[in-house]
Amino acid sequence: MSSKQANTDAQVPDPEVRPVGGTEHSWCRAVPGGTGVTVLALLLSKPPNLALLQNALDNLQVSHPILRSKLHFDSTTNIYSFVTPATPHVQIQPFDLASTAEIIRRLADPSVSPFHLIVEHEMEQNSWRDNAETAVMFASVYDLSGEEWVVVLRLHTGACDRTAAAAVLRELLGLVGGGTGRELGGKSKVNLGVEDCIPSGKTNKPFWARGVDMLGYSLNSFRLANLNFLDVDSPRRSQFLRLQMNLDETNRFLACCKSRGIGVCGALAAAGLIAACASKNLPDDQWEKYAVVTLIDCRPDLEPSFNSHGLGFYHSAILNTHDIRGGEKLWELANRTYMSFVNAKKSSKHFTDMADLNFLMCRAIENPGLTPSSSLRTSLISVFEDPVIDNSTEMHREIGLEDYVGCASAHGVGPSMAIFETIRDGQLNCPCVYPSPLHSREQVQGLVDDMKRILVDASSCEDGES
């Protein structure tokens, strides 16, 4: 080796390495099976400037080291680690008109748009299924027709939760919409895992209480009802539909939530429970027990606390079960579902039960037979505590942004329907992801339509009894 080559090699710092935490580990186990492939997709009416887009991605990777990281699995120790090189490495993969047309042809479904099909196609691209070391982020550009283009970021959920994904989307649009890539302050290290940032004492739980809770979670899982399964044997993929309201419907809905002190998540969960129960045409006196998982962004409660730009996975979950029969009123049930969540959060169950739920998630992955019909369904529905609120800007129109979707796959372990609540320009716009063909598009469309009808009707009642 020449002295010049040796000097060049010496200037390249070694990658930073951090073993994953407990919650990150559970996602490393879940993603290869099909749950946790996060997709951010932008539909553009103007051709993207690939050089500008690549520069924006480079800036994002410099500013957020986890985006330039790779997930490494050591088979001798069964430990996953984030391996973070000093420089950006993610490159855009372009798909020309012919390549995109072939993908659309293979997925042909006249009930949804080509943009919709590309989002579902990306959720199926599981780069983490078999590789020992794989990047946490991938970027692609699809030419739909010579008049529309789709820009997609695909991320590992263990490295980028819903809050982080929304922040990445905002920063990316800012960098691309500004005309030039602005320089962002760079860091060399990935942030700590959520378990290392929980305030002292918040995870404390007596041994006997932990045992009782674990037993309760396990026993309840055998008693839970689900949306009817259509095909439990065929290979699965994630599909999605949208629950949408117009501006007037959304305003009335949000006003009803506010006047009753009920979060949007509680109302959506209640509507889902009522619609699922109604889809079975059960006798009015027959009860069923359903599970709802509510995901909480823990960033404000951590030490050190993170804002939305602290990328990584910092969500936790609270699982509540509810006995449902036909005839429930929306706001009465919404109050019950929301208050059970609020009381559990006040008791810090999102911290004390974090390890328990991660353990049970991994157990279900290892032993699908522990779930109904080996479906890997752990709840009927999952919601987020707070919706993402986004208002379009003139900058978005300048780059030709026509539509966008942010969601994650859920055809491995998870709910029958994962709702990603978003209020966009004052209108409710929620991607709802489900496992197909365990559930069909027609079946879930009926459920979503029923949920919307329930929410709109209840928000329109002046007497407030619905």
Side-chain angles (χ1 to χ4, degrees):
M1 179 185 295
S2 67
S3 59
K4 180 178 180 181
Q5 182 179 353
N7 290 337
T8 300
D9 291 343
Q11 294 173 1
V12 179
D14 292 333
E16 294 285 343
V17 179
R18 173 173 80 72
V20 301
T23 297
E24 293 164 339
H25 175 81
S26 68
W27 282 107
C28 289
R29 297 289 307 281
V31 169
T35 292
V37 178
T38 294
V39 172
L40 299 174
L42 314 177
L43 177 64
L44 304 177
S45 60
K46 298 179 181 179
N49 182 323
L50 293 186
L52 180 60
L53 181 60
Q54 183 65 60
N55 189 50
L57 291 175
D58 290 346
N59 275 325
L60 283 172
Q61 292 174 81
V62 170
S63 178
H64 304 290
I66 200 165
L67 295 182
R68 65 176 185 267
S69 296
K70 297 182 179 182
L71 268 173
H72 174 80
F73 178 66
D74 187 334
S75 60
T76 61
T77 61
N78 290 326
I79 293 175
Y80 291 90
S81 299
F82 290 114
V83 178
T84 310
T87 57
H89 61 86
V90 174
Q91 297 294 313
I92 298 169
Q93 182 178 8
F95 292 86
D96 62 16
L97 191 59
S99 300
T100 304
E102 176 58 25
I103 293 170
I104 298 299
R105 185 198 64 76
R106 180 171 57 83
L107 299 174
D109 186 339
S111 68
V112 296
S113 69
F115 172 57
H116 190 125
L117 291 175
I118 290 297
V119 175
E120 293 183 346
H121 168 73
E122 280 283 332
M123 283 194 287
E124 197 177 9
Q125 305 310 298
N126 198 327
S127 307
W128 303 277
R129 184 171 287 121
D130 301 310
N131 294 316
E133 185 168 291
T134 311
V136 303
M137 181 173 73
F138 296 85
S140 303
V141 173
Y142 295 85
D143 186 343
L144 283 185
S145 62
E147 297 181 352
E148 289 185 319
W149 294 261
V150 183
V151 175
V152 182
L153 298 187
R154 187 172 73 255
L155 304 111
H156 191 290
T157 293
C160 187
D161 61 16
R162 201 272 299 251
T163 299
V168 168
L169 179 60
R170 286 192 296 269
E171 288 194 30
L172 177 66
L173 291 173
L175 288 164
V176 175
T180 57
R182 62 184 176 88
E183 292 299 323
L184 303 175
K187 299 195 301 180
S188 63
K189 293 185 178 182
V190 171
N191 293 325
L192 295 172
V194 63
E195 287 85 359
D196 293 321
C197 302
I198 297 174
S200 177
K202 286 288 187 179
T203 60
N204 291 349
K205 183 194 287 190
F207 178 79
W208 65 267
R210 188 172 300 279
V212 168
D213 283 347
M214 287 287 283
L215 182 63
Y217 283 133
S218 300
L219 291 178
N220 270 332
S221 68
F222 293 104
R223 302 165 56 199
L224 295 177
N226 291 274
L227 193 63
N228 288 334
F229 302 142
L230 302 184
D231 182 348
V232 298
D233 298 318
S234 298
R236 292 174 198 152
R237 58 192 301 265
S238 287
Q239 296 182 331
F240 81 100
L241 293 167
R242 296 198 204 190
L243 172 60
Q244 295 175 291
M245 293 184 187
N246 62 33
L247 186 61
D248 184 52
E249 291 167 340
T250 303
N251 285 337
R252 288 201 302 267
F253 168 60
L254 294 179
C256 285
C257 288
K258 183 177 180 180
S259 67
R260 292 166 171 81
I262 296 172
V264 169
C265 61
L268 289 174
L273 294 171
I274 293 172
C277 186
S279 71
K280 298 183 178 183
N281 298 311
L282 300 173
D284 288 346
D285 60 348
Q286 183 171 334
W287 294 81
E288 288 194 312
K289 185 180 291 292
Y290 291 94
V292 173
V293 169
T294 306
L295 294 157
I296 304 164
D297 183 5
C298 298
R299 285 172 175 79
D301 301 321
L302 300 177
E303 293 179 355
S305 63
F306 297 103
N307 60 25
S308 62
H309 296 279
L311 301 197
F313 192 91
Y314 295 103
H315 276 66
S316 187
I318 287 177
L319 185 150
N320 292 116
T321 59
H322 304 280
D323 292 325
I324 306 297
R325 66 175 181 181
E328 277 90 357
K329 300 292 186 179
L330 175 75
W331 295 116
E332 177 183 313
L333 181 57
N335 183 68
R336 176 152 56 99
T337 59
Y338 186 64
M339 292 313 299
S340 64
F341 159 70
V342 168
N343 291 332
K345 185 180 178 184
K346 285 181 179 177
S347 300
S348 297
K349 286 185 75 67
H350 55 308
F351 289 141
T352 60
D353 289 15
M354 183 183 290
D356 300 343
L357 292 177
N358 286 336
F359 173 77
L360 292 171
M361 177 176 170
C362 290
R363 286 284 290 163
I365 293 169
E366 295 165 1
N367 303 279
L370 296 177
T371 61
S373 303
S374 297
S375 64
L376 287 174
R377 294 313 100 194
T378 55
S379 66
L380 171 71
I381 199 167
S382 69
V383 291
F384 288 86
E385 179 183 17
D386 297 309
V388 169
I389 298 176
D390 179 62
N391 295 305
S392 298
T393 65
E394 183 63 33
M395 176 183 64
H396 294 177
R397 289 185 284 274
E398 287 176 3
I399 65 174
L401 181 63
E402 299 293 325
D403 193 7
Y404 64 89
V405 171
C407 57
S409 64
H411 59 273
V413 66
S416 282
M417 186 165 67
I419 300 181
F420 296 81
E421 304 104 293
T422 304
I423 298 175
R424 187 189 307 178
D425 294 330
Q427 301 177 70
L428 194 71
N429 191 326
C430 305
C432 302
V433 180
Y434 61 94
S436 173
L438 189 69
H439 304 302
S440 70
R441 201 184 298 277
E442 181 181 17
Q443 178 190 24
V444 178
Q445 185 67 67
L447 184 76
V448 169
D449 289 346
D450 205 16
M451 289 175 62
K452 177 179 177 179
R453 178 191 58 76
I454 292 166
L455 293 168
V456 170
D457 288 352
S459 300
S460 300
C461 291
E462 295 182 2
D463 59 12
E465 293 298 323
S466 293

